[in-house]
PDB file of all heavy atoms in Angstrom:
ATOM      1  N   ASP A  13     -16.707  63.205  -7.770  1.00 94.00           N
ATOM      2  CA  ASP A  13     -17.199  63.521  -9.052  1.00 94.00           C
ATOM      3  C   ASP A  13     -18.632  62.991  -9.320  1.00 94.00           C
ATOM      4  O   ASP A  13     -19.493  63.713  -9.821  1.00 94.00           O
ATOM      5  CB  ASP A  13     -16.290  62.902 -10.160  1.00 94.00           C
ATOM      6  CG  ASP A  13     -15.175  63.817 -10.555  1.00 94.00           C
ATOM      7  OD1 ASP A  13     -15.191  64.908  -9.975  1.00 94.00           O
ATOM      8  OD2 ASP A  13     -14.477  63.430 -11.480  1.00 94.00           O
ATOM      9  N   LEU A  45     -16.966  40.640  13.529  1.00 97.00           N
ATOM     10  CA  LEU A  45     -17.605  39.760  12.498  1.00 97.00           C
ATOM     11  C   LEU A  45     -16.942  39.922  11.194  1.00 97.00           C
ATOM     12  O   LEU A  45     -17.010  39.058  10.341  1.00 97.00           O
ATOM     13  CB  LEU A  45     -19.107  40.094  12.317  1.00 97.00           C
ATOM     14  CG  LEU A  45     -19.971  39.914  13.526  1.00 97.00           C
ATOM     15  CD1 LEU A  45     -21.420  40.143  13.252  1.00 97.00           C
ATOM     16  CD2 LEU A  45     -19.840  38.528  14.192  1.00 97.00           C
ATOM     17  N   THR A  48     -14.676  37.054  11.612  1.00 96.00           N
ATOM     18  CA  THR A  48     -15.323  35.766  11.957  1.00 96.00           C
ATOM     19  C   THR A  48     -16.439  35.324  11.031  1.00 96.00           C
ATOM     20  O   THR A  48     -16.738  34.129  10.899  1.00 96.00           O
ATOM     21  CB  THR A  48     -15.756  35.705  13.420  1.00 96.00           C
ATOM     22  OG1 THR A  48     -16.646  36.802  13.619  1.00 96.00           O
ATOM     23  CG2 THR A  48     -14.644  35.883  14.349  1.00 96.00           C
ATOM     24  N   GLN A  55     -22.718  40.013   2.583  1.00 97.00           N
ATOM     25  CA  GLN A  55     -24.155  39.918   2.185  1.00 97.00           C
ATOM     26  C   GLN A  55     -24.899  41.139   2.663  1.00 97.00           C
ATOM     27  O   GLN A  55     -25.836  41.637   2.001  1.00 97.00           O
ATOM     28  CB  GLN A  55     -24.795  38.626   2.914  1.00 97.00           C
ATOM     29  CG  GLN A  55     -26.182  38.452   2.527  1.00 97.00           C
ATOM     30  CD  GLN A  55     -26.472  38.420   1.025  1.00 97.00           C
ATOM     31  OE1 GLN A  55     -25.697  37.845   0.222  1.00 97.00           O
ATOM     32  NE2 GLN A  55     -27.560  39.032   0.575  1.00 97.00           N
ATOM     33  N   SER A  72     -17.281  49.236  10.492  1.00 98.00           N
ATOM     34  CA  SER A  72     -16.122  49.695  11.244  1.00 98.00           C
ATOM     35  C   SER A  72     -16.363  50.841  12.151  1.00 98.00           C
ATOM     36  O   SER A  72     -15.423  51.463  12.625  1.00 98.00           O
ATOM     37  CB  SER A  72     -14.991  50.025  10.272  1.00 98.00           C
ATOM     38  OG  SER A  72     -15.496  50.972   9.294  1.00 98.00           O
ATOM     39  N   MET A  79     -12.219  51.498  21.322  1.00 94.00           N
ATOM     40  CA  MET A  79     -13.464  50.701  21.360  1.00 94.00           C
ATOM     41  C   MET A  79     -12.992  49.222  21.203  1.00 94.00           C
ATOM     42  O   MET A  79     -13.554  48.329  21.955  1.00 94.00           O
ATOM     43  CB  MET A  79     -14.430  51.076  20.270  1.00 94.00           C
ATOM     44  CG  MET A  79     -15.016  52.496  20.351  1.00 94.00           C
ATOM     45  SD  MET A  79     -15.958  52.653  21.853  1.00 94.00           S
ATOM     46  CE  MET A  79     -17.475  51.713  21.487  1.00 94.00           C
ATOM     47  N   GLU A 144      -8.569  52.642   3.980  1.00 98.00           N
ATOM     48  CA  GLU A 144      -8.121  52.976   2.690  1.00 98.00           C
ATOM     49  C   GLU A 144      -7.426  51.746   1.972  1.00 98.00           C
ATOM     50  O   GLU A 144      -7.754  51.442   0.825  1.00 98.00           O
ATOM     51  CB  GLU A 144      -7.191  54.175   2.715  1.00 98.00           C
ATOM     52  CG  GLU A 144      -6.658  54.572   1.326  1.00 98.00           C
ATOM     53  CD  GLU A 144      -5.812  55.865   1.360  1.00 98.00           C
ATOM     54  OE1 GLU A 144      -4.911  55.898   2.284  1.00 98.00           O
ATOM     55  OE2 GLU A 144      -5.953  56.798   0.520  1.00 98.00           O
ATOM     56  N   GLY A 189     -33.807  73.011  22.461  1.00 96.00           N
ATOM     57  CA  GLY A 189     -33.440  72.889  21.036  1.00 96.00           C
ATOM     58  C   GLY A 189     -32.467  71.669  20.844  1.00 96.00           C
ATOM     59  O   GLY A 189     -32.391  70.807  21.680  1.00 96.00           O
ATOM     60  N   ILE A 227     -33.432  69.037  11.898  1.00 98.00           N
ATOM     61  CA  ILE A 227     -31.982  69.287  12.004  1.00 98.00           C
ATOM     62  C   ILE A 227     -31.441  69.628  10.598  1.00 98.00           C
ATOM     63  O   ILE A 227     -30.650  70.560  10.511  1.00 98.00           O
ATOM     64  CB  ILE A 227     -31.291  68.033  12.464  1.00 98.00           C
ATOM     65  CG1 ILE A 227     -31.719  67.687  13.958  1.00 98.00           C
ATOM     66  CG2 ILE A 227     -29.746  68.113  12.528  1.00 98.00           C
ATOM     67  CD1 ILE A 227     -31.249  66.367  14.513  1.00 98.00           C
ATOM     68  N   LEU A 240     -25.562  65.629   4.372  1.00 98.00           N
ATOM     69  CA  LEU A 240     -26.000  64.203   4.478  1.00 98.00           C
ATOM     70  C   LEU A 240     -26.846  64.002   5.714  1.00 98.00           C
ATOM     71  O   LEU A 240     -26.602  64.539   6.776  1.00 98.00           O
ATOM     72  CB  LEU A 240     -24.701  63.398   4.604  1.00 98.00           C
ATOM     73  CG  LEU A 240     -24.803  61.866   4.813  1.00 98.00           C
ATOM     74  CD1 LEU A 240     -23.488  61.194   4.411  1.00 98.00           C
ATOM     75  CD2 LEU A 240     -25.045  61.569   6.356  1.00 98.00           C
ATOM     76  N   GLY A 246     -36.805  55.940  13.884  1.00 94.00           N
ATOM     77  CA  GLY A 246     -37.557  56.308  15.152  1.00 94.00           C
ATOM     78  C   GLY A 246     -36.603  56.003  16.337  1.00 94.00           C
ATOM     79  O   GLY A 246     -35.420  55.620  16.160  1.00 94.00           O
ATOM     80  N   GLU A 254     -38.596  42.544  22.819  1.00 79.00           N
ATOM     81  CA  GLU A 254     -37.885  42.944  21.554  1.00 79.00           C
ATOM     82  C   GLU A 254     -37.639  44.406  21.558  1.00 79.00           C
ATOM     83  O   GLU A 254     -38.466  45.176  22.109  1.00 79.00           O
ATOM     84  CB  GLU A 254     -38.709  42.561  20.332  1.00 79.00           C
ATOM     85  CG  GLU A 254     -38.969  41.048  20.150  1.00 79.00           C
ATOM     86  CD  GLU A 254     -37.676  40.273  19.876  1.00 79.00           C
ATOM     87  OE1 GLU A 254     -36.984  40.691  18.867  1.00 79.00           O
ATOM     88  OE2 GLU A 254     -37.359  39.326  20.597  1.00 79.00           O
ATOM     89  N   VAL A 256     -37.687  47.471  19.176  1.00 88.00           N
ATOM     90  CA  VAL A 256     -38.171  47.742  17.910  1.00 88.00           C
ATOM     91  C   VAL A 256     -38.027  49.225  17.545  1.00 88.00           C
ATOM     92  O   VAL A 256     -38.088  50.123  18.367  1.00 88.00           O
ATOM     93  CB  VAL A 256     -39.746  47.371  17.692  1.00 88.00           C
ATOM     94  CG1 VAL A 256     -39.893  45.926  17.857  1.00 88.00           C
ATOM     95  CG2 VAL A 256     -40.541  48.144  18.648  1.00 88.00           C
ATOM     96  N   ILE A 269     -37.782  61.654   0.593  1.00 97.00           N
ATOM     97  CA  ILE A 269     -37.965  62.313  -0.676  1.00 97.00           C
ATOM     98  C   ILE A 269     -38.079  63.832  -0.502  1.00 97.00           C
ATOM     99  O   ILE A 269     -37.551  64.641  -1.195  1.00 97.00           O
ATOM    100  CB  ILE A 269     -39.207  61.702  -1.445  1.00 97.00           C
ATOM    101  CG1 ILE A 269     -38.872  60.354  -1.890  1.00 97.00           C
ATOM    102  CG2 ILE A 269     -39.647  62.649  -2.573  1.00 97.00           C
ATOM    103  CD1 ILE A 269     -39.945  59.517  -2.569  1.00 97.00           C
ATOM    104  N   GLY A 275     -33.093  69.693  -0.955  1.00 97.00           N
ATOM    105  CA  GLY A 275     -31.661  69.844  -1.249  1.00 97.00           C
ATOM    106  C   GLY A 275     -30.642  68.942  -0.452  1.00 97.00           C
ATOM    107  O   GLY A 275     -29.479  69.239  -0.553  1.00 97.00           O
TER     108      GLY A 275
END
Side-chain angles (χ1 to χ4, degrees):
Chain A
D13 267 4
L45 300 184
T48 58
Q55 182 53 41
S72 55
M79 294 299 286
E144 182 175 43
I227 296 171
L240 173 156
E254 298 294 305
V256 297
I269 290 174

